[in-house]
């Protein structure tokens, strides 16, 4: 009798625990799946968010939207300027897109110099280059940093909040450069950006002091 | 006669001002080019690491007016 009660209670326990675990896991999965579906279904565009930082964060979290909007929308750094400036800015981005596919960093840099209008190779010097070309060159270098920061976020080395804050600062600096603001103003903003960048990357890039 | 004296005085003052201003500008140009000589961008320098990109940005900004 005791044996039978013991055996039946063990069987009942096994059946109940199996039911409970399967119910738990199925509802959990259903929740994750429904969340995933909700995310992909709800975000169609990042353009309707109000602030620059929100738009940038939205694109980091939704790479497929970001990829589509890269072709359909005006580049963030080019916005808010006169029409001629916007057009020149978009041309710079369009023409320099090929540079970011260069594997070798020196080749990439040569490409940036070429696309920004700096002609060192023809015996010229950077000093002799027109100011607009120098500004274009800094914009392309900043975009290079932006791409790297996006990569760090994709790899999970920094959070999306850190990435969106850093990229927002980069876009603001690029806007200042394109708007022709003074070197002193641009440098002040870059110092601020560097501090935040070093804090964010100090955990995975050796030799980066986060107090500078 | 008085008018002639005033013209000469005026010319001396204007000449002095022009000389003074051109001297100032020359000093500024020299300082600027010394800065740039230290920060010239070359094709061969690398932008492999993030810090090298920062250095390149600083050097390029130093070349801005």
């Amino acid at each position: 009798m005791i044996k039978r009660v013991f055996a039946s209670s063990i069987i009942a326990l096994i059946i109940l625990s199996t039911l409970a675990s399967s119910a738990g896991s199925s509802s959990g999965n259903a929740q994750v799946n429904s969340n995933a579906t909700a995310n992909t279904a709800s975000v169609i565009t990042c353009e309707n968010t109000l602030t620059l930082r929100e738009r940038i964060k939205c694109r980091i979290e939704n790479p497929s939207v970001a990829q589509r909007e890269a072709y359909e929308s005006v580049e963030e750094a080019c916005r808010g300027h006169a029409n001629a400036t916007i057009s020149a800015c978009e041309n710079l981005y369009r023409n320099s897109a090929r540079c970011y596919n260069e594997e070798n960093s020196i080749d990439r840099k040569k490409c940036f110099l070429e696309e920004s209008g700096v002609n060192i190779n023809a015996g010229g010097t950077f000093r002799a280059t027109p100011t607009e070309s120098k500004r274009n060159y800094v914009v392309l270098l900043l975009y290079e940093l932006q791409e790297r920061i996006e990569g760090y976020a994709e790899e999970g080395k920094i959070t999306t909040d850190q990435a969106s804050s850093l990229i927002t600062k980069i876009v603001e600096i690029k806007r200042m450069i394109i708007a022709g603001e003074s070197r002193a103003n641009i440098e002040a903003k870059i110092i601020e950006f560097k501090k935040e960048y070093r804090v964010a990357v100090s955990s995975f890039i050796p030799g980066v002091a986060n107090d500078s | 006669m008085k008018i002639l004296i005033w013209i000469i005085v005026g010319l001396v003052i204007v000449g002095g001002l022009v000389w003074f201003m051109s001297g100032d500008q020359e000093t500024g140009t020299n300082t600027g080019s010394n800065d740039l000589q230290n920060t010239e961008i070359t094709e061969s320098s690398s932008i492999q690491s993030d810090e090298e990109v920062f250095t390149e940005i600083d050097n390029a900004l130093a070349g801005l007016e």
Side-chain angles (χ1 to χ4, degrees), chain A residues 105-106 109-110 112-113 120-121 125-127 131 134-135 137-138 141-142 144-145 148 152 183 186-187 190 193-194 197-198 205, chain B residues 33 35-37 39-65:
Chain A
S105 70
I106 292 177
K109 182 182 164 174
K110 282 179 184 172
F112 291 160
L113 287 166
I120 291 175
N121 201 29
T125 64
F126 191 76
R127 265 174 294 166
T131 304
K134 289 175 188 170
R135 286 180 181 267
Y137 182 54
V138 179
L141 288 170
L142 285 165
E144 167 75 9
L145 274 180
R148 293 183 189 193
Y152 298 150
R183 175 179 146 186
I186 297 164
E187 280 175 337
I190 286 183
F193 165 73
K194 271 188 202 172
Y197 160 86
R198 286 182 173 139
I205 298 184
Chain B
S33 66
D35 275 346
L36 295 179
Q37 272 166 7
T39 57
E40 189 66 73
I41 301 280
T42 60
E43 269 198 347
S44 56
S45 59
S46 175
I47 51 164
Q48 180 91 42
S49 70
D50 293 0
E51 285 301 320
E52 284 171 336
V53 178
F54 278 127
T55 305
E56 192 76 358
I57 288 171
D58 289 343
N59 290 346
L61 280 176
L64 286 182
E65 282 106 43

Side-chain angles (χ1 to χ4, degrees), chain A residues 7-24:
Chain A
S8 57
S9 49
I10 292 284
I11 291 164
L13 199 66
I14 290 169
I15 291 167
L16 281 173
S17 63
T18 311
L19 282 172
S21 86
S22 64

